[in-house]
Amino acid sequence: MELKSYMDAASGLLNLPVAAEWQPGTLRFLGLAADMAALLESVPLDDAELVQAAVFRLPDEGGSDV
């Protein structure tokens, strides 16, 4: 992926200009994020083995915590 092109396109779509002095750091972050995403995508996942996280629900007004 051409990170500079991505940064320019994304900043234009969001109407969020990236100042010239911020561009080196922004490009470095985008590169690191792309590397992290590639690492995560390289790990095989079996949908049958995915465990859903517990969901916290407030107790109803009757005092039941179910």
Side-chain angles (χ1 to χ4, degrees):
M1 172 186 290
E2 174 55 47
L3 296 178
K4 174 84 166 90
S5 296
Y6 177 81
M7 180 185 67
D8 293 341
S11 67
L13 284 171
L14 296 171
N15 194 26
L16 182 65
V18 179
E21 62 268 19
W22 300 341
Q23 290 185 11
T26 302
L27 292 170
R28 178 164 161 67
F29 171 78
L30 289 174
L32 290 170
D35 290 345
M36 288 186 280
L39 178 64
L40 290 174
E41 289 177 348
S42 71
V43 176
L45 294 176
D46 181 4
D47 288 342
E49 294 182 13
L50 295 177
V51 178
Q52 299 294 321
V55 176
F56 174 77
R57 292 186 176 90
L58 292 172
D60 62 4
E61 292 183 23
S64 172
D65 59 352
V66 179

